[in-house]
Amino acid sequence: MQPSEVWGERWNANPNPLARRWMETVVDKQSMVVLAADRYTMAGLTELLEDVSPHVAALKTHVDLVEDWTAESWAEFCEKAKDADMLIFEDRKHGDIGKIARDQMGGVYDSRSWADLMTAHLISGPSVLDGMAEGWSNVGRHGGVLLLAQMSSAGNLLEIPGYTDAVVDAGKEHPACFGFIGNGSRANELAELRKKVGEVKMIWTPGVNLVTGDAELGQRYGDPTEAVLAGSDGIIVGSGIHRSDNPTEAAKSYADVSWNALLQRSGL
Ligand code: 5BU
């Protein structure tokens, strides 16, 4: 299948190389799964990646969770992910003023050099987007920011009226904005977000699991099929895969569910 068949105008009219890369990988792998690789050792991460990579289209990291992190082992891990055709997405949730966010992409972890995508809150204003664009550009790269327009956790303050709309208005027009984080646990809120975002920017959704309902420490889970039908372009799945007894099979199940939902959404 070709990306244009599955994504239609969203493929044909999209000028953003990262968005096109994502849409293409989804079709190649028949998977919209963004793996939240929340393991705490390099061995655990590497094993997980090897188990699931055919069924996963992007790798989401929290680099500061890793207890035995070294620059060398991380570089090797990222290389494996790239070889398996995955975009690398550091869920850093930047939120400082532009120049500090830019410089926080350097430092020990030097995320500007290996992350293709990164999350940010827009709480400090649009300078965070400019700063992050500069961060990548300082090492000769282009990356994309996923702005938090919604969150999956109960009681999050992004739900205060007006906040999501303000994030979408600022991000929609900004070239560094790859897309938005939407709440996968509430399909109706996600559908509203899709209407506001339009067709160009991506929406990726955490808070999805085949077992729905309230979970650990305020996390909430919705059904991945419903999330895709409501407008999700990437389902972020963590424990549903990495805590499963069989991560390979779990990853395949999420891939199948997301791909079938995408085909249904596209009328195929
Ligand atoms: P889980 O194990 O599928 O619940 O993991 C979800 C991941 O998505 C985890 O890495 C969180 O940091 C991340 N996440 C989230 O759960 N909810 C949000 O609103 C955002 C990120 Br933003």
Side-chain angles (χ1 to χ4, degrees):
M1 255 188 189
Q2 296 301 316
S4 57
E5 288 171 72
V6 177
W7 294 96
E9 271 313 290
R10 299 199 56 204
W11 168 264
N12 297 330
N14 202 311
N16 182 332
L18 278 169
R20 292 175 72 84
R21 161 86 199 276
W22 170 247
M23 290 188 272
E24 200 168 19
T25 308
V26 165
V27 174
D28 286 349
K29 293 199 161 184
Q30 306 205 337
S31 169
M32 303 171 89
V33 174
V34 179
L35 172 70
D38 298 332
R39 290 236 176 125
Y40 307 125
T41 63
M42 287 311 309
L45 281 166
T46 304
E47 186 188 25
L48 178 64
L49 189 63
E50 283 167 2
D51 285 348
V52 304
S53 58
H55 312 297
V56 165
L59 172 71
K60 185 177 90 63
T61 57
H62 282 302
V63 67
D64 51 358
L65 284 181
V66 185
E67 291 159 3
D68 58 352
W69 187 92
T70 63
E72 294 71 31
S73 59
W74 192 256
E76 212 175 293
F77 175 64
C78 290
E79 211 45 53
K80 280 202 166 90
K82 275 190 226 157
D83 288 347
D85 200 18
M86 291 177 196
L87 285 167
I88 304 178
F89 166 33
E90 167 63 14
D91 189 5
R92 170 65 176 73
K93 299 185 181 72
H94 282 286
D96 212 322
I97 58 172
K99 65 177 180 178
I100 297 299
R102 175 193 66 204
D103 296 344
Q104 285 172 322
M105 293 168 70
V108 172
Y109 294 123
D110 198 30
S111 52
R112 61 193 173 180
S113 296
W114 48 265
D116 304 299
L117 299 167
M118 243 182 260
T119 41
H121 283 284
L122 204 70
I123 196 75
S124 59
S127 73
V128 74
L129 285 163
D130 301 324
M132 290 173 72
E134 264 188 48
W136 275 299
S137 142
N138 287 346
V139 290
R141 302 184 73 227
H142 285 286
V145 179
L146 279 146
L147 287 175
L148 276 72
Q150 296 175 334
M151 290 191 77
S152 63
S153 45
N156 75 78
L157 302 185
L158 282 65
E159 291 174 0
I160 290 177
Y163 186 88
T164 297
D165 291 9
V167 171
V168 171
D169 287 346
K172 250 171 108 166
E173 304 308 326
H174 202 291
C177 176
F178 167 85
F180 300 92
I181 295 293
N183 176 11
S185 73
R186 295 288 182 276
N188 53 342
E189 292 169 24
L190 196 55
E192 286 303 308
L193 180 65
R194 173 51 77 194
K195 278 191 213 146
K196 291 171 191 161
V197 166
E199 300 290 314
V200 177
K201 302 287 182 183
M202 297 290 128
I203 298 177
W204 285 8
T205 53
V208 288
N209 197 293
L210 291 168
V211 181
T212 59
D214 293 342
E216 192 180 358
L217 289 173
Q219 178 66 304
R220 301 175 293 183
Y221 290 125
D223 179 64
T225 298
E226 281 182 29
V228 173
L229 294 178
S232 168
D233 299 316
I235 56 163
I236 298 175
V237 185
S239 37
I241 294 174
H242 67 72
R243 284 211 196 131
S244 154
D245 292 339
N246 188 334
T248 310
E249 271 181 18
K252 169 118 179 50
S253 304
Y254 281 96
D256 289 349
V257 157
S258 64
W259 176 246
N260 289 332
L262 181 61
L263 292 180
Q264 189 181 334
R265 187 172 95 191
S266 314
L268 295 169

